[in-house]
Amino acid sequence: MAKQVSVINSSYCAPHSVTLQINTEEGATYNEKDDRLFYTDDTFFTLHNRRVLYDDAENPIVTLYSKTVSLHGRCNVFKGESTDSSELLFSVKKIKKSPGITKLNVFLANNQDKKKSDFRMIIFGSKRSCTVYAGESPNIVAKMENNGGFNVFVNPNVDYAFIVALLMIVKDMNCCDEPQNSTNTNKTISALKIISLSF
């Protein structure tokens, strides 16, 4: 992608593609050289429904804030350790589920009417893979394959800290299982459950 996509900080926009590995058990992100780039303060959301993503120098990058009683499936992401609305960077909202697929919309803070998403995420199976698209376009900004951890490919000029934050939200979700046959589709649909994320 030629145009720079900066959401958290332009310093995370590399002119080349970036390959990352997210250890989902540790909540830590590593580069190709096995250097730790990011980590979270807890494997799952805390009792206060917030979690902080830090860089390896222990600087807070973003705070992920959820409210599990919501029916709308929303998670808000704030700059640093804040949960103040003035520091909102983006929100992630579940929009639709079908057998084997979970779909999420991502809205940047300046997208007030939220009629169209700024990014969208398509998650296949129980987090078997995930693709992040720019808005409603077919343009891919990042992809993830789950092989016991998230193997992530981020396109050039895309904020990879933003992609990591998105995938840390995905990590904590209960996503659709892939349907095994048509006879149990209704059971599959009724059994689908996503962690309700809301501000």
Side-chain angles (χ1 to χ4, degrees):
M1 180 170 287
K3 183 179 178 181
Q4 189 176 88
V5 177
S6 175
V7 176
I8 294 177
N9 195 303
S10 59
S11 65
Y12 297 118
C13 297
H16 51 80
S17 60
V18 175
T19 302
L20 305 171
Q21 173 73 32
I22 298 178
N23 184 315
T24 51
E25 291 186 4
E26 295 178 1
T29 303
Y30 299 87
N31 63 15
E32 289 181 297
K33 298 179 181 179
D34 207 30
D35 300 320
R36 191 177 71 170
L37 301 179
F38 306 105
Y39 69 95
T40 56
D41 55 354
D42 193 21
T43 303
F44 294 96
F45 281 105
T46 66
L47 293 176
H48 299 289
N49 300 324
R50 65 189 293 272
R51 204 161 42 121
V52 179
L53 179 69
Y54 297 90
D55 66 17
D56 198 47
E58 301 184 0
N59 299 307
I61 304 301
V62 293
T63 293
L64 315 174
Y65 184 86
S66 73
K67 198 169 185 179
T68 56
V69 297
S70 169
L71 298 177
H72 302 292
R74 184 184 295 273
C75 178
N76 287 326
V77 180
F78 301 86
K79 183 178 181 180
E81 292 181 296
S82 176
T83 54
D84 189 279
S85 59
S86 65
E87 299 293 337
L88 179 68
L89 291 173
F90 62 92
S91 60
V92 179
K93 184 178 181 180
K94 178 197 52 158
I95 55 167
K96 183 180 179 182
K97 291 189 294 184
S98 60
I101 297 176
T102 301
K103 298 182 181 181
L104 307 174
N105 267 352
V106 181
F107 302 98
L108 299 182
N110 60 6
N111 186 346
Q112 298 294 326
D113 59 20
K114 294 181 171 57
K115 291 182 179 178
K116 292 185 178 180
S117 63
D118 296 289
F119 301 89
R120 73 185 196 282
M121 305 174 69
I122 308 297
I123 306 165
F124 294 95
S126 185
K127 307 173 197 175
R128 174 174 55 84
S129 65
C130 174
T131 303
V132 184
Y133 297 89
E136 304 301 321
S137 77
N139 298 327
I140 295 173
V141 297
K143 298 184 74 173
M144 179 275 285
E145 296 290 335
N146 188 353
N147 297 314
F150 291 174
N151 297 307
V152 187
F153 179 86
V154 184
N155 280 348
N157 299 312
V158 173
D159 186 335
Y160 58 86
F162 167 58
I163 300 300
V164 170
L166 290 178
L167 291 174
M168 295 309 291
I169 294 170
V170 170
K171 181 182 78 70
D172 286 341
M173 288 182 169
N174 288 334
C175 294
C176 304
D177 291 325
E178 294 181 78
Q180 295 178 359
N181 55 60
S182 59
T183 61
N184 62 13
T185 295
N186 290 334
K187 292 182 180 179
T188 302
I189 295 173
S190 64
L192 297 176
K193 185 170 75 173
I194 191 170
I195 292 178
S196 297
L197 304 172
S198 175
F199 175 56

